[in-house]
Amino acid sequence: DGLRAVKNIIDDKSFIPGAGAFEIAAYSNLMKYKDTVKGKAKLGIEAFAKALLIIPKVLAQNSGYDVQDAIITLIDSYEEKKVPVGLNLNEYGVISPELQAIYDNYSVKKQFLNIAPILSEQLLLVDEILKAGKKMGG
């Protein structure tokens, strides 16, 4: 809730541009980093980068925008400007979340970045167990 968000900002002494800006910047930088990596690790980096786009995709969908168009617009704008850009939810377009005072909690982003790979790993492990059970006739 709102009070918890304020408490997190006070505790963290920091915040992150919102409106999907963090996810777009992280995606862009991970895709660049992917080009420096060899082998199958590239696939993991790309999958993680694409998974981060779920936040701006949901923002676009909930605003009634074409999701693919919105994501492409955000990525292109970030690549061009190299500053945080977010999705304008009032009228289709790109905004500067910092100028609009739209922020996310640092601790919340840190927590979701830490827990997402763990949850993915657990889901893959369960999938492997289920496949093994089917092979054994279960």
Side-chain angles (χ1 to χ4, degrees):
D1 69 320
L3 291 177
R4 181 63 176 195
V6 172
K7 180 190 180 309
N8 287 343
I9 289 173
I10 292 168
D11 291 348
D12 296 338
K13 297 178 180 63
S14 63
F15 48 84
I16 296 170
F22 169 79
E23 291 80 5
I24 294 296
Y27 169 84
S28 179
N29 287 292
L30 283 169
M31 294 304 279
K32 283 187 183 92
Y33 174 68
K34 176 189 80 156
D35 295 335
T36 68
V37 175
K38 304 262 188 243
K40 290 183 180 180
K42 283 184 174 199
L43 300 175
I45 293 167
E46 183 176 359
F48 188 74
K50 286 181 178 179
L52 289 175
L53 294 178
I54 191 65
I55 301 294
K57 283 180 178 181
V58 169
L59 289 173
Q61 185 175 22
N62 288 347
S63 298
Y65 303 145
D66 179 85
V67 173
Q68 289 179 332
D69 188 45
I71 295 301
I72 291 168
T73 300
L74 286 168
I75 292 169
D76 289 347
S77 183
Y78 176 78
E79 291 291 329
E80 179 184 322
K81 298 175 184 176
K82 298 295 184 199
V83 296
V85 294
L87 187 62
N88 186 340
L89 303 184
N90 295 321
E91 57 184 53
Y92 182 76
V94 175
I95 60 168
S96 169
E98 294 169 315
L99 293 178
Q100 299 292 323
I102 302 170
Y103 298 105
D104 288 331
N105 286 143
Y106 166 79
S107 59
V108 172
K109 294 294 179 184
K110 180 181 174 187
Q111 186 175 19
F112 107 75
L113 285 173
N114 286 333
I115 201 165
I118 294 167
L119 290 174
S120 298
E121 184 180 346
Q122 293 299 314
L123 288 171
L124 290 172
L125 180 61
V126 168
D127 189 49
E128 289 298 316
I129 291 170
L130 290 174
K131 285 181 185 176
K134 285 181 182 179
K135 287 181 182 177
M136 296 177 78

